[in-house]
Amino acid sequence: AAILSIKLKLQPDQDVEKMCTPLLLQDKANLVEDYVGEYPELQRKLLQTLDLWCDPSFDIRDITRPYQGLSRYKPEKFNRRVLSKLVFRLLERFNVDPALCPNVINQRHLRTLNYLFYKRFVEKTMTEENWADHVQSTVGENRWLQGHLVQSLLRHCGARGAARWARRCQLPPEMLPPAVAEELQQLHIQDRVEEVTKADNYEDSKKKDYYQLPIPRENIHFLQTWEEMLQCWEKVLQPGQVVGVDMEWKPSFGMVGKPRVALLQLALKDEVFLLDLPRLLEQAEAEGEKEKLPRFIQMLYSDAAITKLGYGMSGDLSSLAATCSALKDTEKQMQGVVDLLAVDKQVDGLSPEHSHEERGVRQPEKGLSLLVQHVLGKPLDKTEQLSNWEKRPLREEQILYAASDAYCLLEIYERLCKDPENFGLGSDLTESLVGKQSKKPRAKKQLHKQEAPSPSGQECQGPRTEPSRPPAPISPQEFSVVCDNMLQGLGRYLRCLGVDVRLLDNEDDHRKAAEIARQEGRVILTSGLPYQTLRSQVAEGRCFSVNCSEKAKEQALRVLRHFNVRVSPSDVFSRCQ
């Protein structure tokens, strides 16, 4: 009935709840998306209905009871967690204002709040300032969330600690339990000064355990105007220059939309430039020259005479493209790029478990921090990583963290080039790092993060540092993938063409895709924010991001083109559907 309705465009004359509820109970979320796909009013009605079902006081059994006789009835697929994920997917796909779904948004904010408490009071990996910034922006003026904040403060800090935080987070006094309100009245400024001093002393004693910037503070420049940018431009765009590049953005904590870069860091041998990207873009637009900054960034990335060092550059560049559409093709044009993410998979003895044993109770190091620890002796202090990078002015701790993140890439690169054998790397490391053509047969271990063997033994090529042939053509029978749970339509389409496909269920965690990919040698197909997480858990070229707004056929064509999969008529329906 739904498919016929779509073909005959009957949706406006039907009850969207009555049509979609039994489809959702049969795990047909993709069909539901298609059903409302061309009707904004129906999209809004569906989202409001789903949001109502996600209200904690709503009994979902009232919805499921009439449909228990359905032949493909899957009540386990119909719960608040699954519905909440569907709501976020629909909000993003249809570009609807999240304010339409207050229950789902509140629940997501509450999970963010619980996560922040875990980071601050259990894991102890967030500074007070950083934590308070995020708590205030998460809770805002929402009374329901403020109530949860007070309860969590009481549980983790006691009445006195809760009172101190209540004052700092500007909670209305009438919301506070009597014990907290009483403590709030007795608090004096002196108490606060003493507490902050103690915290600062603790922070200072901790610093010696971490990587320290070897350049003076006055050599870190925070740039907000185009005049300041010109000095940076002249120094960075020098032939033979080596530049450490990093980017920061405000954590989204699972909310709708792609992250937008708030800070771009460029590190040279003697100084670091921190570019306030939103301010610079705003200023250039006001002056009618909005292409100025994108032109500088494109010149930097496309100049083969300048070596750019990064860690997980592909993710950084996709966020950069979301920030400024003029930069969407930067990844295709880049030359002279070294991504140190690939070193993780090659450096001897580099494992989080090893790091955890060495460092006692602290959380095990991972990612860039683990690489810094192994190559330079001390890990990065990541307490500012989850900062609110959009808030101005930046705190001193944020400025030092941002500068360190970019500068450490220069030191790692220098150390690895000087003594590659000491880290279990090939002696021709320098040659392979800067992306020159090598006449020797291709070694199994290379530092280009863009290469990884595919299941067929051919290579999947992403953007490269020099022009290269596309991967050799393969048949669908040789191509195996695992599709994330928002791409079930794509998965079914590829299966029709003879591709070996595994589909995640709606309630599966995205990380399951990485497990399956590693165990079975599959390529991950995903979309949106999960791409950033999953791509770091598999070899480069083994994770591909698909545009969720495209239809399954368009998505499939992109995937086949990217991996050079050639489909013949005999492949169609060659696998059991």
Side-chain angles (χ1 to χ4, degrees), residues 36-80:
V36 298
E38 293 177 23
Y39 299 94
E41 190 51 42
L42 294 185
Q43 293 162 13
R44 294 172 67 82
K45 277 186 188 170
L46 175 64
L47 281 163
Q48 284 173 315
T49 302
L50 294 173
D51 186 61
L52 174 67
W53 295 348
C54 290
D55 187 321
S57 61
F58 187 86
D59 189 350
I60 284 182
R61 285 172 299 187
D62 292 344
I63 299 295
T64 59
R65 214 169 279 121
Y67 296 102
Q68 284 172 358
L70 277 174
S71 60
R72 293 181 184 148
Y73 179 59
K74 295 179 180 174
E76 71 280 1
K77 299 282 179 78
F78 198 82
N79 56 55
R80 281 195 190 90

Side-chain angles (χ1 to χ4, degrees), residues 327-340:
L327 294 168
K328 65 179 189 296
D329 293 326
T330 304
E331 195 165 0
K332 294 175 189 165
Q333 299 160 359
M334 65 186 189
Q335 296 185 73
V337 166
V338 177
D339 196 324
L340 294 170

Side-chain angles (χ1 to χ4, degrees), residues 482 510-519 524 534 537-538:
V482 52
H510 298 292
R511 285 169 294 195
K512 189 175 177 186
E515 289 170 28
I516 293 170
R518 288 194 298 266
Q519 287 164 8
I524 300 173
L534 292 172
Q537 297 180 28
V538 290

Side-chain angles (χ1 to χ4, degrees), residues 188-258:
H188 296 298
I189 296 297
Q190 188 56 38
D191 295 340
R192 189 176 181 196
V193 170
E194 283 172 13
E195 297 253 7
V196 170
T197 309
K198 273 187 217 162
D200 286 346
N201 291 342
Y202 169 66
E203 296 297 329
D204 287 339
S205 69
K206 229 173 51 168
K207 277 177 186 170
K208 66 179 189 302
D209 295 337
Y210 291 105
Y211 169 83
Q212 296 295 303
L213 259 181
I215 59 171
R217 171 63 182 86
E218 58 268 23
N219 289 14
I220 303 171
H221 313 289
F222 185 64
L223 312 182
Q224 292 187 294
T225 67
W226 192 249
E227 292 69 38
E228 294 169 330
M229 262 301 298
L230 289 175
Q231 304 167 24
C232 166
W233 185 313
E234 286 167 13
K235 290 179 179 176
V236 170
L237 297 180
Q238 293 285 337
Q241 189 67 274
V242 179
V243 188
V245 185
D246 192 35
M247 298 172 207
E248 306 294 346
W249 50 80
K250 182 183 176 182
S252 63
F253 297 117
M255 298 308 283
V256 178
K258 285 186 177 171

Side-chain angles (χ1 to χ4, degrees), residues 73-224:
Y73 179 59
K74 295 179 180 174
E76 71 280 1
K77 299 282 179 78
F78 198 82
N79 56 55
R80 281 195 190 90
R81 185 161 169 262
V82 173
L83 291 173
S84 171
K85 284 168 81 172
L86 176 61
V87 167
F88 275 99
R89 199 162 87 213
L90 295 177
L91 286 171
E92 190 155 11
R93 176 174 169 182
F94 299 131
N95 199 21
V96 175
D97 183 356
L100 190 70
C101 303
N103 290 313
V104 170
I105 299 298
N106 278 345
Q107 290 298 325
R108 182 61 62 93
H109 280 318
L110 180 57
R111 281 199 289 277
T112 298
L113 198 57
N114 291 337
Y115 174 71
L116 290 169
F117 269 90
Y118 173 78
K119 296 292 282 184
R120 173 72 192 146
F121 296 104
V122 180
E123 208 177 74
K124 297 182 179 170
T125 54
M126 265 185 135
T127 61
E128 288 197 10
E129 291 280 353
N130 187 0
W131 184 82
D133 276 355
H134 280 309
V135 166
Q136 279 176 289
S137 67
T138 301
V139 172
E141 303 294 315
N142 186 311
R143 287 301 174 92
W144 184 76
L145 288 168
Q146 286 175 341
H148 279 281
L149 173 59
V150 171
Q151 295 307 318
S152 296
L153 284 170
L154 260 175
R155 201 162 56 246
H156 287 279
C157 314
R160 187 167 186 76
R164 193 164 68 86
W165 280 112
R167 180 173 64 184
R168 187 164 185 173
C169 297
Q170 298 166 352
L171 296 179
E174 64 272 16
M175 288 205 63
L176 304 176
V180 178
E182 200 175 309
E183 284 287 354
L184 189 58
Q185 286 178 336
Q186 293 173 11
L187 268 181
H188 296 298
I189 296 297
Q190 188 56 38
D191 295 340
R192 189 176 181 196
V193 170
E194 283 172 13
E195 297 253 7
V196 170
T197 309
K198 273 187 217 162
D200 286 346
N201 291 342
Y202 169 66
E203 296 297 329
D204 287 339
S205 69
K206 229 173 51 168
K207 277 177 186 170
K208 66 179 189 302
D209 295 337
Y210 291 105
Y211 169 83
Q212 296 295 303
L213 259 181
I215 59 171
R217 171 63 182 86
E218 58 268 23
N219 289 14
I220 303 171
H221 313 289
F222 185 64
L223 312 182
Q224 292 187 294

